[in-house]
Amino acid sequence: MGELKDMPDSTVTGHLPDRSPWSSKQVDRLADDRLLGSARRTLTLEAAGLAALEEALEKGELATAFPEAVRLIGAAQGRVIITGMGKSGHIGQKTAATLASTGTPAFFVHPGEASHGDLGMITPQDVIIAYSWSGETVELVNLINYSRRFKVPLIAITSARESALGQASEIVLELPKAQEACPHGLAPTTSTTMQLAISDALAIALLEARGFTAGDFKIFHPGGKLGASLQFVADIMHKGERLPLAPTEMPMSEVIPLMTEKSFGCVGVVDADGQLVGIVTDGDLRRKMGPDLIAAKVCEVMTPNPKTVAPDLLASAALELLNSSNITALFVVEDGKPVGIVHIHDLLRAGVA
C-alpha cells in the first residue's frame, strides 16, 4: 500500500482525468506556433520511423522475410486471417479490407472472439497475420496455439522477434524500434504508422504479383465515386443507331440535319471500308460558314484524324482527354472503325471525375 499512497489521487480513487472545457489561460497557451510545432514534431518522428522501415527493407532480416511473406500469402489456397488487439487490431482491420479489395481474400478475426468460437473460421489452408508490437499480447495466445496445433501458417508483424509471437511464427516481419510521437511514449503513433506502411507494402506487392488490373478493381468497387471512376468507356458510350456517321461523299445539306438529329454536336466521317477518317463539329461549321457550305461534301469540311479512344479505356481517362483537348465528344474505335461515341455530359452524369 505504500506505493499506492505515492500515486495520483485519480489512480487511487478511480477518478477520471479532468476533461472539463479549457480555461482561458489554457486556450491562450495554444498559440498557433506551438500547435504547429507539435504537428511538425509528430510528422518528423513518424517520418523517421518510415525511413527506418525502408532501410530495414533494404538490408537485414526484413529484406529476406518480406518476399517470403508475399510468396506464402500468394500461394495460400484459403484466405488471409488478420488478427490483433487494440490499435494493432485497428491496423489489422484496415489491412484486411485493403487485401480483400485488391484481390487477396482476407478478413479480420478479433482475438477475444476467436477464443469463443471464431477459431472455427480458420482452416489449415489459410494464412494468419498477427499484429502485436510487443509480441506478448495475452489475447493472442489461444489463436497462436490453434495455428500451431492445426499447422496454419503464421506471419508475425512485431518489433520483437524473440517474443512469444515471434518465436511461434514461420515468418517474422520485425519492425525497427522507433520513438513514438506521443511525448509520454505511450500512445501508439509511430509504431502504428509503420504497421500500416508495411501492411500496405504487402498488399501492393501482392496486387502487382497477381497482375491485378483496374478492371479487377472495379469488380470489388462498384459503388460510389471510386466505382464511377472505374467504369470503362464501353459502359457509358452510345452505339448502334445512336452513332452520328456520314460517308465521305455525303453533302453537307444532309450532314447538318444528321448532326441536329443525333445531338452530339459532331458527325464522324467514314470511308468505304467503314474506317473513321474525320470529324465535323459545330466549331467546324462556324469556321467554314459561307455560301458554298451546303453544297460541299463532308470530306471537304471535316477535320481529319480525330482524337479517339478504345472501349476498354477507363472513363476517367476519357474525361481527362476531353478536358485536356478542350473538346466535348470522342468516337470510340476498334480496328479503326467507330463502335461508339462518348460525350462529356455522359461522363459527368455517370459520376466520373
Side-chain angles (χ1 to χ4, degrees):
M1 291 298 292
E3 292 182 357
L4 285 176
K5 291 179 181 178
D6 295 331
M7 297 177 73
D9 288 344
S10 61
T11 303
V12 176
T13 62
H15 292 166
L16 288 171
D18 182 17
R19 295 183 182 180
S20 58
W22 288 334
S23 66
S24 58
K25 183 179 294 186
Q26 287 174 309
V27 172
D28 290 342
R29 289 204 300 268
L30 300 178
D32 287 357
D33 57 348
R34 182 173 180 178
L35 296 175
L36 291 172
S38 173
R40 287 192 294 269
R41 283 193 299 275
T42 296
L43 296 178
T44 297
L45 289 170
E46 294 197 355
L50 292 177
L53 179 58
E54 183 178 9
E55 183 178 354
L57 278 168
E58 293 177 358
K59 54 188 176 181
E61 294 179 336
L62 188 57
T64 301
F66 184 87
E68 291 178 350
V70 173
R71 283 191 284 268
L72 178 61
I73 295 169
Q77 298 299 308
R79 297 86 30 100
V80 179
I81 311 301
I82 312 289
T83 190
M85 277 297 295
K87 306 302 186 294
S88 294
H90 294 312
I91 298 298
Q93 291 181 60
K94 188 273 181 187
T95 302
T98 300
L99 287 172
S101 70
T102 52
T104 301
F107 64 88
F108 180 80
V109 173
H110 192 284
E113 297 294 336
S115 300
H116 295 274
D118 283 2
L119 286 173
M121 298 179 180
I122 307 171
T123 74
Q125 287 74 44
D126 298 331
V127 174
I128 299 173
I129 300 178
Y131 291 79
S132 173
W133 187 251
S134 67
E136 301 292 347
T137 304
V138 174
E139 290 86 352
L140 288 174
V141 170
N142 289 334
L143 200 149
I144 293 172
N145 290 340
Y146 182 89
S147 74
R148 302 305 81 192
R149 178 182 178 188
F150 293 102
K151 296 181 172 58
V152 184
L154 178 62
I155 298 171
I157 297 183
T158 179
S159 68
R161 174 176 297 275
E162 299 306 317
S163 63
L165 174 61
Q167 293 185 48
S169 302
E170 279 83 2
I171 298 174
V172 179
L173 300 181
E174 185 176 20
L175 305 183
K177 293 181 173 61
Q179 183 180 349
E180 300 284 14
C182 169
H184 309 299
L186 299 175
T189 45
T190 307
S191 57
T192 48
T193 297
M194 289 193 289
Q195 286 178 329
L196 182 59
I198 196 68
S199 302
D200 285 344
L202 278 174
I204 299 305
L206 286 161
L207 177 155
E208 292 175 342
R210 292 182 188 279
F212 195 79
T213 66
D216 298 324
F217 207 84
K218 179 190 174 186
I219 294 172
F220 301 126
H221 299 79
K225 188 173 182 179
L226 181 57
S229 68
L230 289 171
Q231 293 182 87
F232 294 99
V233 168
D235 300 326
I236 299 173
M237 70 182 189
H238 302 270
K239 52 189 177 182
E241 294 182 356
R242 288 288 293 137
L243 288 181
L245 298 175
T248 54
E249 300 300 308
M250 179 179 280
M252 290 301 297
S253 59
E254 297 179 20
V255 171
I256 293 174
L258 178 63
M259 288 180 64
T260 303
E261 176 192 349
K262 301 298 183 180
S263 69
F264 290 108
C266 65
V267 167
V269 183
V270 293
D271 63 15
D273 296 323
Q275 299 283 311
L276 184 71
V277 294
I279 189 172
V280 176
T281 67
D282 289 336
D284 292 322
L285 296 182
R286 289 191 295 272
R287 286 188 291 272
K288 298 185 180 182
M289 184 64 68
D292 299 328
L293 177 63
I294 297 299
K297 295 179 181 179
V298 69
C299 61
E300 298 170 341
V301 179
M302 72 181 189
T303 299
N305 304 315
K307 294 183 184 296
T308 62
V309 292
D312 59 356
L313 183 72
L314 281 174
S316 56
L319 180 61
E320 172 60 28
L321 178 58
L322 287 168
N323 286 329
S324 62
S325 303
N326 198 28
I327 56 179
T328 58
L330 288 163
F331 277 96
V332 185
V333 300
E334 281 186 321
D335 299 324
K337 296 182 179 181
V339 295
I341 186 171
V342 61
H343 195 277
I344 191 168
H345 292 163
D346 301 321
L347 298 168
L348 296 175
R349 277 194 295 269
V352 179

